[in-house]
Structures are given as structure tokens and as C-alpha cells.
Amino acid sequence: AQSVTQLDSHVSVSEGTPVLLRCNYSSSYSPSLFWYVQHPNKGLQLLLKYTSAATLVKGINGFEAEFKKSETSFHLTKPSAHMSDAAEYFCVVSDANTGGFKTIFGAGTRLFVKA
Amino acid sequence: DAGVIQSPRHEVTEMGQEVTLRCKPISGHNSLFWYRQTMMRGLELLIYFNNNVPIDDSGMPEDRFSAKMPNASFSTLKIQPSEPRDSAVYFCASSRQGFGGNQPQHFGDGTRLSIL
């Protein structure tokens, strides 16, 4: 069965410092993994996706994530936080199951960026 | 390219009234999803369509909710009668969904629904 766990509900960093948002998943098959960002009063926007190619995935706005199968993790990182990065971030796992596919969203991690 | 378009952006109505939310997916996308987001429950998948056919509606809360997709460019989510607990932000998303679900979903900006 699929599941996704975002290990922190809130993360607070200072502007210019690194960002780490943690995500662990479980999947019976070969999953596709995504990170989305949601700014206030907006829909979710795709940051990056992993679909069994390179394990280090680069996304928009300087974010990247590394797929580690042995650790079943897909943590999101950014070297230097910007005030505009303050938002909610969702880790998502998707894979095939009987009769189709299933997509599971994590509960979200709210990122605060202090000046 | 135009993204997913939802209307209205905001809806305030009294309990018992019928509410209809509308969605235009991205052209060429063959999967469409309706979600509901609240502080208490987070993001919940209500229903999804593939090639205009409802595939999984197990997330639809109860019979008061119904969704249709009469063609590839339009979908509606209807609540009748509405109740205060239906207050939430409703999102529509679409994707080019291949087998295994490796295509990202593209979200609209949502409809903020308030039932008084």
C-alpha cells in the first residue's frame, strides 16, 4: 500500500540559510514522486518530479530533491531561502495499482522564512 | 497556455441552496480531479475522471455531492443541498495521465466556498 509522510508540519528558517523539508514514502511498485508548493489563495504548483530517471531532481526556484530508495525518502532542499519561499509544500507519491493508478498527497509542511 | 480555470473564485450562500462549481481543464489533458481543502482535513480527493468517465468517486462525502464531465473541456461539481460543513476551498486539477501516474497534475486557483 502507498503512503507518504511529511515529517515536519512546520519549518522555520532565516533568509539566506538552507531549507530542508523531509518526506518519506512507501510504495509497492516503482513510484513517481512529486513536490508541489502552495502560496496563499493559490492552487498547488509543481516544483519538481521524479520518474525513475536521475535520482537527483532539479526543480524551479532553486529547489532540488534526491530520491533515496534505500531510505524511502524524497527530501526537498534549497541552498538559500528567500522570503518568497514562504508557503506550504506537499510531497506526493503516485504509482500503479490494480485497475489504474493512485496518487497520495502528504499532509503538507508550512515553511516560514524570517528576515 | 491557459491553465486550469475555475469559476467562481468565491461563493457565499446560505445553507440549503444548490452550489455549482465549474472547471475547464487544460486542453489535451485527459484526466480531471476535484479536491477539497480544509484546515482540519487537509487536501482530499473527491473524484477523478479519465477520458470524461468517473473512475474513482470514493472520496465524495455523500449523496449531496455530484460531479459531471459532459465533455473534455468542462466539468462541474454540485452540492445540493449545501451545509455549513461544506465550507472549504475546492480545487480542480488536470493531467496527461499515463499508466502509473507519472504525469503531474496542474491545479486551478480554487473556489473558496462559504455556506452560512
Side-chain angles (χ1 to χ4, degrees), chain B residues 5-111:
Chain B
I5 299 172
Q6 291 186 247
S7 64
R9 286 299 313 276
H10 304 272
E11 175 89 11
V12 180
T13 192
E14 294 186 345
M15 65 177 294
Q17 297 298 307
E18 179 179 291
V19 173
T20 299
L21 310 182
R22 297 172 176 79
C23 175
K24 176 179 171 57
I26 293 173
S27 176
H29 285 189
N30 64 349
S31 290
L32 182 139
F33 310 81
W34 282 101
Y35 292 89
R36 177 172 68 177
Q37 187 177 42
T38 61
M39 290 291 292
M40 292 296 294
R41 300 173 67 94
L43 194 67
E44 303 172 275
L45 176 66
L46 300 177
I47 186 171
Y48 86 83
F49 295 84
N50 188 252
N51 293 325
N52 312 338
V53 175
I55 302 300
D56 182 357
D57 66 354
S58 59
M60 295 286 264
E62 49 198 90
D63 292 346
R64 297 184 297 106
F65 285 69
S66 62
K68 293 182 179 179
M69 192 165 185
N71 57 61
S73 59
F74 184 65
S75 177
T76 60
L77 178 68
K78 187 172 293 187
I79 308 173
Q80 168 63 20
S82 57
E83 296 183 5
R85 61 190 167 123
D86 301 330
S87 298
V89 182
Y90 290 81
F91 288 102
C92 177
S94 70
S95 76
R96 296 180 201 276
Q97 197 55 272
F99 180 75
N102 62 3
Q103 297 298 311
Q105 295 179 24
H106 298 258
F107 284 75
D109 283 338
T111 294

Side-chain angles (χ1 to χ4, degrees), chain A residues 37-40 83-89 109-113:
Chain A
V37 61
Q38 185 180 26
H39 291 278
M83 296 297 290
S84 61
D85 295 327
E88 185 138 25
Y89 292 78
T109 297
R110 185 164 295 276
L111 176 65
F112 297 93
V113 182

Side-chain angles (χ1 to χ4, degrees), chain A residues 23-97:
Chain A
C23 174
N24 286 353
Y25 71 93
S26 68
S27 173
S28 302
Y29 300 92
S30 297
S32 296
L33 295 158
F34 309 83
W35 276 99
Y36 288 81
V37 61
Q38 185 180 26
H39 291 278
N41 300 315
K42 288 290 194 179
L44 281 68
Q45 178 188 14
L46 179 70
L47 273 180
L48 51 81
K49 68 175 184 177
Y50 166 79
T51 55
S52 75
T55 56
L56 182 62
V57 182
K58 294 188 182 298
I60 61 171
N61 301 335
F63 284 95
E64 62 182 38
E66 187 170 8
F67 173 71
K68 292 187 176 180
K69 187 173 181 178
S70 61
E71 299 176 10
T72 62
S73 70
F74 190 57
H75 301 334
L76 182 70
T77 60
K78 182 173 181 177
S80 175
H82 191 272
M83 296 297 290
S84 61
D85 295 327
E88 185 138 25
Y89 292 78
F90 294 90
C91 181
V92 179
V93 61
S94 182
D95 68 18
N97 63 8

